[in-house]
Amino acid sequence: QVRLVQSGVEVKRSGTSVKVSCKTSGYAFNSYGMTWLRQAPGQGLEWMGWISAYKDSTTYSHKLEGRVTMTRDTSTNTAYMELRSLRSDDTAVYFCARGDYGFFDFWGQGTLVAVSS
Amino acid sequence: DIQMTQSPSSLSASVGDRVTISCRASQNIGNYLNWYQQKPGEAPNLLIYAVSNLQSGVPSRFSGSGSGTDFILTINTLQPEDFATYYCQQSDTMPFTFGQGTKVDIK
């Protein structure tokens, strides 16, 4: 079955970076892109960006442009999201989700990133 | 960015009720509208894609309709496991955006 398993809780200081992983199994990783989303405490869902399976091309939210990088490792079927220059308002649960047509059919369990000053 | 507005923000309903949730886009998104259910502490779960297509494994009491800018999610015969927050999401134009959510709780 399709599984997306994310790395664990991260507690970070403002100004530092975090890299969240999303290890996949049960489907052809090379055939699907990966989307990253986040959800601040008690808030709704925010799309962060997408990395395509085609040449690993990326599209990022302009809100995060310059601070976020999404990558894929086809040797381990793992996707990564790195966010730099962390601020307190980056505190959120971060999700990876499979989807190439704009909707997301399988999700990771979420990774809490807490940023303190 | 395309703004998505859901109404109501919350509603109280009883088991067996029929529930409708509205979602409005700030511009025409054709049929690029999806719905998710999220329970506390869990990742969202895709219910419906492209307005009215039921995701595999989702009960048939869920249905979607609409086009252009106005969309509706209907839950027929509400079940105990349906108490959750529901989000609409447009997939017409990046950045893909979500509604603010509609929380369905027990009356």
Side-chain angles (χ1 to χ4, degrees):
Chain A
Q1 73 280 25
V2 175
R3 293 193 72 202
L4 284 69
V5 179
Q6 298 182 222
S7 48
V9 174
E10 299 270 10
V11 180
K12 295 290 184 179
R13 291 282 196 175
S14 294
T16 63
S17 301
V18 69
K19 191 169 186 177
V20 179
S21 66
C22 174
K23 184 165 178 58
T24 73
S25 59
Y27 73 98
F29 183 75
N30 280 343
S31 299
Y32 291 84
M34 191 69 74
T35 293
W36 289 87
L37 309 98
R38 67 181 182 178
Q39 187 169 36
Q43 303 300 308
L45 295 158
E46 179 186 1
W47 181 87
M48 299 177 66
W50 170 67
I51 179 166
S52 168
Y54 180 67
K55 296 186 177 180
D56 287 352
S57 63
T58 53
T59 305
Y60 300 132
S61 163
H62 38 253
K63 177 181 172 184
L64 298 172
E65 194 87 52
R67 291 203 298 136
V68 67
T69 301
M70 296 175 188
T71 55
R72 289 157 37 95
D73 182 348
T74 55
S75 68
T76 60
N77 294 342
T78 303
Y80 297 91
M81 185 283 301
E82 181 180 33
L83 188 60
R84 299 176 293 279
S85 302
L86 288 168
R87 311 188 292 241
S88 57
D89 64 354
D90 291 319
T91 294
V93 176
Y94 288 74
F95 295 101
C96 59
R98 188 184 84 163
D100 273 336
Y101 300 99
F103 57 87
F104 317 118
D105 57 357
F106 289 94
W107 294 62
Q109 82 278 17
T111 296
L112 174 63
V113 176
V115 182
S116 65
S117 52
Chain B
D1 298 358
I2 297 174
Q3 304 302 314
M4 306 299 293
T5 304
Q6 290 181 230
S7 61
S9 295
S10 64
L11 65 90
S12 296
S14 300
V15 172
D17 285 353
R18 181 173 178 263
V19 166
T20 60
I21 298 169
S22 296
C23 177
R24 173 165 288 179
S26 60
Q27 64 189 66
N28 190 330
I29 58 170
N31 68 339
Y32 293 99
L33 190 283
N34 314 301
W35 291 96
Y36 299 84
Q37 176 195 68
Q38 187 178 32
K39 297 179 180 179
E42 297 183 5
N45 181 47
L46 177 66
L47 297 175
I48 289 171
Y49 61 94
V51 177
S52 59
N53 294 276
L54 206 62
Q55 174 66 358
S56 175
V58 174
S60 58
R61 63 180 179 272
F62 291 92
S63 63
S65 62
S67 67
T69 60
D70 291 294
F71 305 89
I72 294 174
L73 173 70
T74 300
I75 312 172
N76 284 302
T77 317
L78 198 67
Q79 297 299 300
E81 60 268 29
D82 301 336
F83 293 98
T85 300
Y86 294 85
Y87 293 95
C88 62
Q89 175 240 331
Q90 64 84 15
S91 50
D92 176 71
T93 306
M94 291 184 186
F96 299 143
T97 46
F98 291 80
Q100 81 281 13
T102 296
K103 185 176 181 180
V104 177
D105 62 21
I106 301 173
K107 184 183 288 183

